[in-house]
Amino acid sequence: MRFYPIKMKAIIHSANSGNNQFFPHITEKAKEEDSWLLPEFPPYEMEKKLLNDPPPLNHDDSLLAPFLQTTPKPIIRLHDTNWYFPPPNEQFTPNPNMETYLKNRRLLIDELPFSHGEIHQHVAHGWAAYEPGITPRGRGHHCNRCGNTDPSLFANFQCFRCKDDCVYCRSCLMMGKVTGCSPLVTWKGVSGKIFSETKKHVMAWDGTLSLFQQKASDKLCTCISNFLQGKNERDHFLIWACCGSGKTEMLFHGIKLALNSGVKVLIATPRTDVVLELEPRFKQAFPDTVIHAFYGGAKERFAQGELVISTTHQLLRFHRAFDLVIIDEVDAFPYTADKKLRYAVSQARRERALTVFVTATPDDTMKREAEKGLMECAKVARRYHRHPLPEPALHWIGQWKKGLGRRRLPSKVVAFVKKHLQGNKQIFLFVPSVRVMEEVEASLKKVVDVTVGAVHSADEERREKVMAFRKGEIRVLVTTTILERGVTVKGVQVGVLGAEDRIFTESALVQIAGRAGRSPDEPTGEVIYFHHGKTNEMVKALKHIKRMNALGEEELLKEKRGGGK
Amino acid sequence: MVGLSGQTKLCPLCSAQLKKMEEISCEECGRPNLGAPAEGTCHDCVRWKKVAPWDTKAFHHRALYYYDPFIQEVLTALKYRGDVALGELFSPDLKSLGKKIGSFDFVTYIPLKEGRHWERGFNQAEVLARSFAAKPLVERVGVSSNKQSKRTREERILAMKNAFVLSVEGRKENYSGKRILIVDDIYTTGATLRSAASLFYEAGAEFVAAVTVARAVGSKARKKMK
Ligand SMILES: [Zn+2]
Ligand SMILES: [Zn+2]
Ligand SMILES: [Zn+2]
């Protein structure tokens, strides 16, 4: 949409602007050359008389009239002026419903169930403000909602709202369209706290933490309490917790501490699966806390919560909202998704906030920062059941692709599968691509007489197949890296066929190995990387796991000697 | 998710999923041939011929694709999510389709009501007509097409009658003896397109035709296709 940029000079000196709901209620601290953004209201609002008074488009005020006679401009073309927004007018009672929508958020007009007239009234009284949805950057654009700057993810169209050639962001289109003429609306009001800051949050979880979990939990609590007292040196904290160490429980005490200090807590993750898994666990652990989960397809999109669990995408609606941000499985998605998540977090966190990363496989940058002490770090080297992680073995299988074309699996792989089927075990077989998956599935069916299943990311029956594997109906599951995390099956044996493929990074290989030996009843399991040429990533993964095990051993020894804490 | 490959074309994956309209059983509305013997003029078009101006005037429509869940997803992304870039993918193909029907003196598209147009920020039919030198000759009046998809055929036809008038620009032209092509996204009953077409016949046009991206086929017919 378009705005009339009116110089504050004209408003300051105009006699009747202050009495009008379309102009700032006060011109305090305004510079004469600042601009006031007067919207061109949508025609249907004028038709339906949603505005109490008609906007002063034919204002007879001689100071304002020249501005109103110009053609309004799309907001993207107004970035070179300073915009004036007044401080909140305490005499004005804002619409509480609008506050619920907008507080700590940044939303499109189209996402708000209020007329633009009413929204602008709140802007004039200093309770809301406009920001540009997209700003020019160099030769291209920057989407202020999602941080996209990739030229191939912007497109142009003839826009009815700004009557001009207009740009829109394709990167965050799923969240509603941000265009060059879309203002994003934010809330400026400070009073009228939605939640009481002295509320007592009860933790109903009464399980016990393992020695390893306890240490990480204590370290996190110290860090959070330092942060709450303004004494923290770093504002990033890494919990490097091996697969199966019970990372969610480690967070409970720290979150309780934060909630009881009246700060807002966010748990963000790239994966909807994780949000759906965490929501009931946190609701159970904190029964008196207002907890909302946001993910694509969730019914409630604009509620206010004391503890929020959100996917990366849904995070884009928040703005300067959270004091404690916990990012779960930050590495679960490739770099671009990661970049998006980081932008979303940078916008959703308060200016002063503490960010906690929780992952089994931090990337190199994060590891380096932790080592250098730029980021505080707690390592959790042992699983909840205290047994070491199964260490992978590397088996060379030569030109396996050739044989597979003739529906022949490498004999080592067949022997591995048969051995464990005889021992009545289930097998997870990871492969680098959907094509290989299909070939392996067909080849396996020729040599074994148990149920063989295969899944990949676009498989519509993914959930059903995973369920059948969990129940033991499927004995061998051939899968792409999509199941590298999250799926836990008791007594499962793990193979990677074609481990030299680029898709199997250190992080993927560590996560895959982490599928084995999860259950305390069967804490061991075989993990084999079948390959045609050892890669760096394979070596790094092996080293990673061995180091974790050694560290765990060391800490257990310390505990025996009585110096555990 | 519908993807774009390169700048302007459908990626091979998406294009393989689209079901092209090839055999037609009704010469007038372009109803697809789904195995049944060609009818010449279908049952629906025969019914239309009982009402003016269709008792004396011809109607002609052709679509690029069958309306199926895949194209539905593409058109939803275009219309409701506002991914205008997707609309531009079909525009050149619509132009070729129009050429197959013949040459035209005017090309226009089905308009939106102003409120709806503002909400959406664009008109999908206008985007689809991009490859033509299309003009906004028609304007919508009366009831908006809000929940058109939920109405019965009779209700829709009734609602669409008198839904359009010639726009200010449209009134400046002379249609006497001229050929006009109308562009829209989906053909359902044809009521919308016929309503707009009748305006031009009233103004003396010789021939009015329409092209759309997708044509809905009845549920029975859809079952046959599978
Ligand atoms: Zn964006
Ligand atoms: Zn625009
Ligand atoms: Zn017909």
Side-chain angles (χ1 to χ4, degrees):
Chain A
M1 59 185 305
R2 300 188 292 188
F3 289 88
Y4 298 91
I6 301 171
K7 285 274 175 268
M8 283 305 292
K9 185 179 179 181
I11 294 174
I12 292 167
H13 299 292
S14 161
N16 54 11
S17 66
N19 307 321
N20 194 305
Q21 56 170 324
F22 301 99
F23 290 98
H25 70 97
I26 204 168
T27 52
E28 188 184 272
K29 283 183 188 162
K31 294 198 191 83
E32 292 203 333
E33 62 275 20
D34 286 352
S35 297
W36 173 247
L37 300 181
L38 180 69
E40 173 191 41
F41 293 99
Y44 60 86
E45 281 193 14
M46 318 269 283
E47 268 168 36
K48 289 186 197 154
K49 300 203 167 39
L50 290 175
L51 305 172
N52 296 334
D53 300 309
L57 292 184
N58 298 311
H59 212 285
D60 52 8
D61 188 311
S62 60
L63 286 164
L64 298 177
F67 291 102
L68 298 171
Q69 278 150 20
T70 58
T71 312
K73 286 181 173 175
I75 195 164
I76 192 172
R77 293 195 216 286
L78 296 170
H79 64 98
D80 50 355
T81 57
N82 274 323
W83 305 343
Y84 175 75
F85 296 106
N89 180 1
E90 301 291 338
Q91 257 73 63
F92 176 84
T93 312
N95 179 344
N97 197 13
M98 197 186 297
E99 177 166 16
T100 304
Y101 266 80
L102 278 175
K103 197 173 176 171
N104 299 321
R105 289 206 177 86
R106 187 162 58 180
L107 302 175
L108 290 165
I109 300 257
D110 311 66
E111 290 177 289
L112 295 167
F114 313 103
S115 72
H116 197 163
E118 190 180 4
I119 294 166
H120 185 71
Q121 196 181 15
H122 283 72
V123 175
H125 285 287
W127 289 83
Y130 303 117
E131 283 181 25
I134 295 176
T135 34
R137 176 173 287 188
R139 281 188 178 172
H141 295 100
H142 178 258
C143 172
N144 293 311
R145 184 169 63 177
C146 75
N148 170 34
T149 52
D150 179 351
S152 70
L153 289 175
F154 286 99
N156 285 69
F157 72 112
Q158 195 55 41
C159 177
F160 187 71
R161 293 192 187 179
C162 64
K163 317 287 176 212
D164 203 346
D165 184 42
C166 197
V167 65
Y168 70 99
C169 175
R170 296 190 77 214
S171 180
C172 61
L173 199 56
M174 297 297 284
M175 309 284 297
K177 190 173 178 176
V178 181
T179 70
C181 65
S182 314
L184 290 168
V185 186
T186 60
W187 193 251
K188 285 182 70 201
V190 278
S191 62
K193 288 256 167 3
I194 286 174
F195 297 111
S196 149
E197 292 196 349
T198 51
K199 175 174 164 182
K200 192 104 183 74
H201 294 264
V202 178
M203 187 169 84
W205 183 79
D206 58 0
T208 41
L209 295 172
S210 75
L211 157 75
F212 299 93
Q213 284 175 309
Q214 189 67 55
K215 279 177 75 177
S217 171
D218 290 348
K219 210 168 170 186
L220 177 65
C221 285
T222 309
C223 179
I224 290 174
S225 105
N226 283 342
F227 165 74
L228 294 169
Q229 295 164 43
K231 293 195 303 193
N232 60 312
E233 282 177 30
R234 307 273 174 231
D235 54 6
H236 287 84
F237 189 96
L238 169 65
I239 300 180
W240 184 348
C242 72
C243 302
S245 57
K247 54 186 175 160
T248 308
E249 292 80 9
M250 281 179 241
L251 301 171
F252 285 160
H253 289 282
I255 288 175
K256 182 187 169 198
L257 186 65
L259 287 172
N260 278 322
S261 306
V263 307
K264 297 250 300 233
V265 181
L266 166 73
I267 300 170
T269 169
R271 306 194 332 150
T272 302
D273 292 8
V274 178
V275 174
L276 293 175
E277 190 213 312
L278 293 180
E279 184 187 3
R281 291 173 72 185
F282 277 97
K283 282 190 170 162
Q284 220 167 40
F286 297 98
D288 299 336
T289 305
V290 183
I291 300 177
H292 286 289
F294 298 102
Y295 49 90
K299 275 195 206 98
E300 187 66 81
R301 286 188 297 167
F302 301 103
Q304 293 282 340
E306 291 160 313
L307 171 62
V308 166
I309 309 170
S310 170
T311 58
T312 311
H313 261 107
Q314 302 300 317
L315 205 53
L316 294 175
R317 291 208 173 96
F318 290 96
H319 190 60
R320 304 274 165 261
F322 303 102
D323 308 271
L324 175 60
V325 177
I326 298 167
I327 305 175
D328 198 8
E329 307 225 356
V330 64
D331 58 310
F333 267 68
Y335 178 69
T336 46
D338 182 43
K339 214 172 117 185
K340 251 190 194 174
L341 175 69
R342 277 167 201 264
Y343 181 83
V345 168
S346 74
Q347 299 298 302
R349 56 177 273 168
R350 292 244 165 90
E351 261 137 57
R352 188 175 171 274
L354 179 68
T355 305
V356 178
F357 299 100
V358 188
T359 175
T361 47
D363 63 15
D364 290 343
T365 326
M366 217 177 262
K367 278 190 220 164
R368 222 177 301 126
E369 284 180 14
E371 270 162 32
K372 281 187 188 163
L374 296 172
M375 191 190 286
E376 279 202 67
C377 175
K379 270 191 200 170
V380 189
R382 272 293 148 98
R383 292 185 155 170
Y384 187 73
H385 58 43
R386 290 169 161 244
H387 294 272
L389 301 160
E391 290 177 12
L394 273 52
H395 285 195
W396 187 82
I397 49 167
Q399 298 191 351
W400 57 273
K401 274 184 191 158
K402 271 194 180 167
L404 204 55
R406 285 178 265 119
R407 294 287 176 275
R408 282 181 59 111
L409 279 169
S411 54
K412 281 182 188 168
V413 176
V414 176
F416 165 79
V417 172
K418 283 193 169 167
K419 178 179 88 184
H420 289 301
L421 286 178
Q422 266 163 20
N424 207 21
K425 302 287 186 202
Q426 283 175 273
I427 298 138
F428 238 144
L429 195 55
F430 288 84
V431 295
S433 68
V434 179
R435 230 188 97 193
V436 173
M437 179 204 82
E438 284 166 352
E439 288 173 348
V440 169
E441 184 191 17
S443 315
L444 258 180
K445 281 182 174 165
K446 291 200 322 200
V447 292
V448 299
D449 52 5
V450 294
T451 319
V452 176
V455 282
H456 59 95
S457 62
D459 192 338
E460 282 171 16
E461 291 165 49
R462 196 170 114 201
R463 273 167 212 270
E464 289 79 7
K465 285 178 182 170
V466 169
M467 195 61 88
F469 189 58
R470 280 201 169 120
K471 283 188 197 152
E473 290 157 9
I474 290 178
R475 303 304 296 177
V476 186
L477 189 61
V478 186
T479 173
T480 56
T481 53
I482 185 71
L483 296 186
E484 74 177 36
R485 46 186 99 205
V487 179
T488 310
V489 179
K490 187 175 157 181
V492 77
Q493 309 294 314
V494 179
V496 180
L497 174 60
E500 74 280 4
D501 195 279
R502 276 176 47 198
I503 199 163
F504 294 115
T505 57
E506 174 193 341
S507 137
L509 289 167
V510 169
Q511 291 284 356
I512 287 170
R515 299 300 103 217
R518 293 290 281 258
S519 160
D521 302 332
E522 294 190 43
T524 56
E526 197 169 23
V527 180
I528 302 181
Y529 300 157
F530 295 100
H531 65 91
H532 178 214
K534 203 165 31 172
T535 61
N536 243 337
E537 298 297 312
M538 284 155 70
V539 176
K540 271 158 77 183
L542 193 57
K543 221 185 197 172
H544 180 139
I545 294 167
K546 283 187 168 169
R547 268 190 170 175
M548 271 294 183
N549 283 343
L551 183 64
E553 209 53 52
E554 230 172 79
E555 290 188 26
L556 281 174
L557 273 174
K558 256 194 230 162
E559 188 201 21
K560 259 189 200 161
R561 287 193 220 107
K565 272 201 173 178
Chain B
M1 175 71 193
V2 176
L4 284 170
S5 117
Q7 291 287 309
T8 55
K9 279 179 163 176
L10 276 175
C11 79
L13 201 78
C14 290
S15 134
Q17 290 202 52
L18 291 167
K19 291 194 188 69
K20 272 213 172 103
M21 276 285 176
E22 269 147 1
E23 279 178 65
I24 274 159
S25 75
C26 175
E27 272 307 312
E28 297 210 3
C29 68
R31 180 183 295 267
N33 186 344
L34 301 165
E39 298 167 66
T41 306
C42 75
H43 176 64
D44 269 353
C45 290
V46 169
R47 278 207 282 178
W48 275 107
K49 280 181 189 296
K50 290 174 187 151
V51 219
W54 310 110
D55 47 349
T56 54
K57 302 291 180 194
F59 180 73
H60 197 86
H61 162 261
R62 290 292 182 269
L64 291 171
Y65 303 106
Y66 293 99
Y67 190 71
D68 66 358
F70 183 76
I71 195 89
Q72 182 181 13
E73 197 191 320
V74 182
L75 292 176
T76 301
L78 164 63
K79 262 161 93 166
Y80 303 111
R81 216 184 295 144
D83 200 356
V84 181
L86 293 173
E88 287 166 8
L89 297 176
F90 297 110
S91 194
D93 291 347
L94 283 172
K95 192 174 181 182
S96 316
L97 188 63
K99 269 193 189 148
K100 273 191 203 159
I101 301 174
S103 63
F104 293 91
D105 302 290
F106 295 99
V107 181
T108 190
Y109 44 84
I110 297 295
L112 291 176
K113 277 206 90 177
E114 195 175 27
R116 174 62 47 82
H117 202 166
W118 175 278
E119 253 173 57
R120 232 168 249 177
F122 68 100
N123 173 1
Q124 72 278 1
E126 184 182 350
V127 172
L128 291 167
R130 260 294 182 75
S131 297
F132 303 91
K135 288 180 183 168
L137 304 176
V138 186
E139 196 171 281
R140 216 180 256 269
V141 287
V143 279
S144 85
S145 60
N146 242 350
K147 301 214 169 75
Q148 229 205 53
S149 47
K150 289 198 183 109
R151 297 188 191 146
T152 64
R153 179 179 184 272
E154 280 68 28
E155 282 169 334
R156 280 197 213 196
I157 291 170
L158 203 67
M160 284 321 295
K161 214 178 171 190
N162 306 322
F164 302 104
V165 291
L166 289 174
S167 66
V168 178
E169 199 176 337
R171 284 194 293 269
K172 290 179 191 154
E173 307 287 352
N174 177 9
Y175 303 104
S176 170
K178 296 283 163 59
R179 294 166 64 87
I180 291 106
L181 182 68
I182 309 172
V183 180
D184 203 6
D185 54 347
I186 304 167
Y187 181 103
T188 314
T189 59
T192 308
L193 285 164
R194 281 182 190 259
S195 171
S198 61
L199 282 181
F200 295 107
Y201 279 130
E202 278 160 31
E206 180 206 288
F207 178 62
V208 188
V211 287
T212 61
V213 173
R215 189 198 202 286
V217 283
S219 54
K220 267 190 207 159
R222 225 177 296 134
K223 272 187 198 135
K224 263 192 206 167
M225 267 167 67
K226 284 196 173 163

